Amino acid sequence: MLSIEEVIHIERLARLKLTDKEREIYRNQLNDVLNYAAKLDEIDTSNVPPMYHVLPVTNVLREDIPRNNFSLEDALNNAPLKEEGFFVIPPILGGEE
Amino acid sequence: MEYEVNIGIEIHAELLTKSKVFCSCPVQFGAPPNTLTCPVCLGLPGALPVLNKKAVEYAILTALALNCKINRNAIFHRKNYFYPDLPKNYQISQYDTPIGVQGFLEIETSKERKRIRIRRVHLEEDTGKLIHSGGRITGSDMSFIDFNRSGVPLLEIVSEPDISSPEEAKEYLTNIRDILVFLGVCDGKMEEGSMRCEANVSIRPKGSEKLGTKTELKNINSFRAVERALQYEIDRQIDIVSKGKEVIQETRHWDEKNERTISMRSKEEAHDYRYFPEPDLVPLEIDDAWIERLRSQIPELPEEKYERYKDLGLTPYEAKLLAHDLEMSIFFDETIKLYNNPKNIANWLLVDVTKELKDRNKVITQTLITPQLMTELLTLIDEGRISGRIAKEILPEVIDKGLSPRKIIEERNLVQITDVSELASVIEQVIKENASVVEEYKKGKEKSFMFLVGQVMKLTKGKANPKLVNELLKKTLG
Amino acid sequence: MDLADLTAHELLTLISKREIAPKDVVKSCIDRIERCEPLIKAYLYIRDPEEIINSVREDMPYSAIPIAIKDNILVRGLPNTCASKILSNFIAPYNATVIEKLKEKSFNITGKTNLDEFAMGSSTENSAFGPTRNPWDLERVPGGSSGGSAASVAIGSSIWALGSDTGGSIRQPASFCGVVGLKPTYGTVSRYGLVAFASSLDQIGPITKDVTDCALLYSFINGHDPNDSTSLNVEPYRYSPLTGDIRGMKIGLIKELLVEGIDPSVERCIRDAVKTFQDLGAIVEEVSLPHISYSVPTYYILAPAEASSNLARFDGVRYGFRAGGKTAEEMMSNTRGEGFGPEVKRRIMLGTYVLSAGYYEAFYLKALKFRNLIAGDFKKAFERFDVLISPTSPILPFKLGEKVENPLEMYLSDICTIPINLAGLPAISIPCGFVNNLPVGLQIIGPVFSESRLFEVAYGFEQAMPFHKRRPQLGGNTYGV
Ligand SMILES: [Mg+2]
Ligand SMILES: [Zn+2]
């Protein structure tokens, strides 16, 4: 069973602020799914190679030709906060030094 | 107790491609914020990466130059971590199949020649730039983000902890920088951030097998800072250990202004990057033909140049100076094809030309002097048509205007006087006008002779052949 | 019957014969939107009717055939919410490649259709803006996640639509709404501009009233795109009239997909379909795909893992909803905590967990191995069979709210569609019967690049058993609001 500490650790890795109630719900539901996923232990797959891509394609490359057809307006239109061409966010760390 | 030091260095070098690594946005410095962006490098929903071929080739070239094995099947991974300058909140990087592995670089220290092993060379994308109002990370009330740098190709070069002194670290770093510059893949300007360096440092009692606890040093922003930051950190660690305390594993920041390293004091978070193969990119298959084609494009690197220059008769000092200066060494190599006295060329380039360039704050390719003009100048001296002094005098004009030395001396009548009768009459005049000095000389005052030579040179505006003047004057004075 | 009840190819024929005016079609769909949309809620955004009508161009026939676009495919200048609060104010600043392709033919977009938030779900109930209802029974779900697109086509508020399919999100709602849906071969339709859920599984595809329309629309959206590295540089599919001749074709009925938890009435419809195929001269045999029962756990490791990373970019920094917070980190966590709905959070948590230190091998890597085994099963089956068939969904459209409390049960109902995404194969869902006036879908699966074969098999069936001609009562003239 997943511990509440583990849930909080995952929550922090995922930058996902949860309420205590949500933590409890996800803890249970995650457990259900993970227990179900244990079905994959039924078969020994030690000799099976992992499949990263369904299609056998390699070396999809682009020539080094610069192009710029996205305007500053396009870039900033959806910004929650902007100033003089910059995206603006709250400070990186708290106020203390 | 005596301690051994272990330093490993991680370099991030921005590649000199024209476009970014996963999108076509131009790579360019100094553009207004966020004007070099697109859905891909802004991490907009729905955008997908497409790999820049040139960036891959630069990575392979560098890996080959650093004696790495090339991974024939290299894939990209996502490195997942949240930071506001990282638009997708994952960095496309490489994990267990970097482009190059198990390379090495040989460096020369004051004591020995030493091999530093290189663990890996891989390709990844740069982040955007965060600007904190107030200029510091802490205490500012807002942060500003410019994503122009987001997606610029980065080459990460990681060494094994084989470096055992700050001096070696600097040597390693400058050697890597020179190789990158000679390959033309990075401009190597640490101060401008196009080459960045982090170091991990640990100490252990001499003879001990196990590595000590390491600290990670960040914010080393210049070649000057490398040695000082490392020396400070080593002293700090020795101080801790000799007091019977223990070094804590942490990230420390080099505080350039106060010349010390400080703990980052960031919230304690174990790094868990949740690497997994990037599903939006397909694997790279690097075959022999591709590798060999790139290998053939590797130019002569500083190390080889150094050896060749020594073989040409230059001193190790001269050879090293020239071999590590890309523009100068190319100029030198072109000139020796025209003029068969390497020693002489090296001397002129490293002393007189270098001085003129320093005055102008330029590299040789930014001036108008050419190997042809240089050859002309040196030949004029050899032929005795001008003195070294005249040559030095006209050098600035050759550098600034690209004028032919031959034409300069003809137009300004600077050709050396080698006509004995012409010189004899000047000497006669000098003796006449300086009777007292001649007397002193005859009484045995050697200095007076030099004065008389000087007077002859003065009257001929430096054009007299000094050797000839010496001879004639001696003869005349008996 | 209104024009809105006809198929695109029927309408194009009428237009070319000048029997109807192009604007009449558009007006008919707008009329349908006005009457049915308040009940169905297929759309999250509808363009101004005036603009839709004015977009019709006499020289561009496709401008007369309104198309609805799932709200996770970017159309420049239109909102793109992915049915999430976190993108509630986001206006797409560029076009998806498929939209660029459609614009070349002057396709006329009606609006953006509802979905499960970020395409995560099988009922369109996980929309931050409320569920879409099934046109055949307003108490029931339209399926998902492309529930809005499927419901819109079924009701005639668009003639055809685009959806996206990661684990069945085109086929299952097509099945629940009695329409046709194609999940193309992975790599044949560009994903550029499709908001990623699970990159290695996602594909955009058509949702239409019949197989001919499906083939036609697919021909416009498929083809190589240099902006998508996983897009294949192969000869694209081009439409040519279908014959439906499937004599001698070998069809495999997937044994494992007829057992676990299947609704008996669904099974009956599939057995009937087998008979139809035999009557049409095909040879149908049962085939076993031994690893197919591992598809659901495999999928529910891989898809959330990729999703947890794909959805990391929604952080309130550059676009979308932003919550408060004293520091950047606080703001980002709050934005994501408040901006994502329960199902999305659940999958982000799950995906983050299976990728985290110490679990990668046990979950993610193992799932990739099973992916290989499952794809191998299909490869083997296609050595013997031209196509494989199964139900699209083992169950009938269920009631709203019936499964929201139990995510795992909902996940399990994707058993028939998920394996196809894992193997990167094409599959089409077509109506194959009705149970209590609720549609049942048949899934036809082919090897990679066999879309034209799938269309022939589906067309053959459709001609013999024209279930696709039925329209939900709600859309007809008899129903007024
Ligand atoms: Mg790095
Ligand atoms: Zn870009």
Side-chain angles (χ1 to χ4, degrees), chain B residues 20 23 25 37-38 41:
Chain B
K20 295 184 179 180
C23 63
C25 287
T37 60
C38 76
C41 55

Side-chain angles (χ1 to χ4, degrees), chain A residues 12 22 29 41-42 49 91, chain C residues 294 328-329 345-346 366 372:
Chain A
R12 176 154 162 67
E22 283 176 315
Q29 290 176 337
D41 294 334
E42 286 172 5
Chain C
Y294 297 99
E329 189 183 327
K345 284 195 241 186
R346 181 156 43 241
K366 183 174 276 174
N372 205 353

Side-chain angles (χ1 to χ4, degrees), chain A residues 10-73:
Chain A
I10 301 297
E11 170 188 332
R12 176 154 162 67
L13 279 179
R15 293 292 188 280
L16 202 58
K17 180 96 188 114
L18 299 181
T19 62
D20 287 343
K21 206 177 133 202
E22 283 176 315
R23 282 182 192 133
E24 203 45 57
I25 293 172
Y26 291 141
R27 183 183 174 211
N28 287 314
Q29 290 176 337
L30 251 56
N31 258 312
D32 288 351
V33 177
L34 293 170
N35 286 337
Y36 176 64
K39 191 173 157 62
L40 298 188
D41 294 334
E42 286 172 5
I43 293 184
D44 175 18
T45 51
S46 42
N47 292 321
V48 181
M51 183 184 233
Y52 292 112
H53 281 277
V54 287
L55 298 162
V57 185
T58 57
N59 293 357
V60 174
L61 298 161
R62 175 177 59 76
E63 292 303 320
D64 183 27
I65 301 165
R67 239 175 328 166
N68 192 4
N69 42 22
F70 202 68
S71 72
L72 181 62
E73 211 191 345

Side-chain angles (χ1 to χ4, degrees), chain C residues 177-227:
Chain C
C177 292
V179 294
V180 174
L182 172 74
K183 186 252 134 180
T185 305
Y186 185 81
T188 57
V189 180
S190 169
R191 292 185 294 116
Y192 191 77
L194 165 69
V195 182
F197 160 14
S199 313
S200 75
L201 304 161
D202 295 341
Q203 257 321 254
I204 292 172
I207 296 175
T208 59
K209 291 200 188 87
D210 72 359
V211 175
T212 304
D213 273 9
C214 187
L216 205 53
L217 188 49
Y218 177 63
S219 75
F220 292 125
I221 58 169
N222 88 118
H224 178 242
D225 177 15
N227 288 326

